[in-house]
Amino acid sequence: MLAHLISYRLFPAETRLCAASIQSRSFRRRPPNQGKPPILPPSKKVLYNVVHVPWQSPEDVKELLWRRHVYNNAVMSLKEVFRQEIREAEAAGKGIEAMKEEEDAEFNRLIAENDMINQKKTKHSRSKHKLANEASAEVRAAIDRSKNFVGETNLEKKILEALENPKVYDFAIDRQGRKYYDSPPMKYQEGVPTRQKRRFFDRTLGVSQGSSEIEKEPEPDVQKASNA
């Protein structure tokens, strides 16, 4: 009673409620069954229970013993055969040392083959890398050239540039290999156009049309065919 009063005064209500619930649970729980104490001896049922193993028949024992002797003799014979083979191989120069030398030689040969294969693969990868670089350079050059291509976006601009800057790429060549370029065409036709009496690409080299005088071409217009 005194302890109950002390706990009631010292602890709050929540703590008292928790302690009461724990006490009620411990009282309601049934205590577990205790096992047999270790101080007690084993029961008579276990102590005096003797297990009698059934004996095998004498015929089975003889058969198993004979098989055991046969197996041991076979193993001993195989060991002797292996020893004899090893002695013969050592006498013929094919012993363990020779086998080690053959293995080392084979290992070195395989290493050399592996190195050759690696070198071939390295050369192949380098050639592929070189081809890839060349292809990339070609693509970049094509992209740079495509900046001046005529497309749907710059069609009007290119037409205006061609009209503003007319160019003639025709030229004549004589027997000495000199080239005669036509004079730049007029940007716009002035006055009444003259009647065409001949083809534009007809030209008498070195002689002006309608006269027997030698036509003097300006130096920039005359070039050797070898410099073309």
Side-chain angles (χ1 to χ4, degrees), residues 51-200:
V51 179
H52 297 281
V53 179
W55 287 83
Q56 291 182 345
S57 62
E59 291 80 7
D60 295 341
V61 173
K62 290 180 181 180
E63 181 69 20
L64 293 175
L65 184 61
W66 176 79
R67 291 186 180 184
R68 180 180 179 184
H69 289 319
V70 171
Y71 174 76
N72 291 335
N73 292 332
V75 171
M76 292 174 64
S77 300
L78 290 174
K79 288 182 179 179
E80 185 62 28
V81 170
F82 292 154
R83 292 193 190 96
Q84 186 176 359
E85 289 181 355
I86 291 173
R87 288 194 295 268
E88 291 178 356
E90 290 178 353
K94 298 181 180 179
I96 297 176
E97 298 297 332
M99 292 173 62
K100 289 182 179 179
E101 292 178 358
E102 291 180 359
E103 290 178 356
D104 293 339
E106 184 179 4
F107 179 75
N108 295 330
R109 180 178 59 81
L110 294 175
I111 290 294
E113 291 181 0
N114 189 20
D115 293 339
M116 292 177 62
I117 293 172
N118 291 336
Q119 291 177 2
K120 290 181 180 179
K121 288 185 177 180
T122 303
K123 291 180 180 179
H124 184 63
S125 62
R126 288 179 180 175
S127 61
K128 289 178 64 177
H129 186 66
K130 184 178 179 180
L131 292 175
N133 291 335
E134 292 178 356
S136 301
E138 291 180 0
V139 171
R140 286 193 293 269
I143 292 172
D144 294 337
R145 291 195 303 270
S146 66
K147 294 178 181 178
N148 297 324
F149 290 172
V150 179
E152 296 180 356
T153 57
N154 60 350
L155 180 60
E156 297 292 337
K157 181 179 178 181
K158 293 296 181 181
I159 291 174
L160 294 176
E161 288 181 0
L163 292 175
E164 293 293 334
N165 302 311
K167 293 182 181 180
V168 177
Y169 297 95
D170 299 335
F171 63 89
I173 187 170
D174 58 3
R175 294 181 179 179
Q176 286 75 26
R178 291 177 295 183
K179 292 183 179 180
Y180 295 87
Y181 290 90
D182 290 337
S183 58
M186 290 186 299
K187 180 178 178 182
Y188 301 105
Q189 187 71 31
E190 297 179 357
V192 180
T194 58
R195 182 180 178 183
Q196 181 179 351
K197 298 181 180 180
R198 60 184 178 85
R199 292 176 295 183
F200 285 115

Side-chain angles (χ1 to χ4, degrees), residues 202-214:
D202 287 343
R203 185 182 182 90
T204 302
L205 301 179
V207 179
S208 61
Q209 298 293 333
S211 65
S212 60
E213 296 179 0
I214 298 175

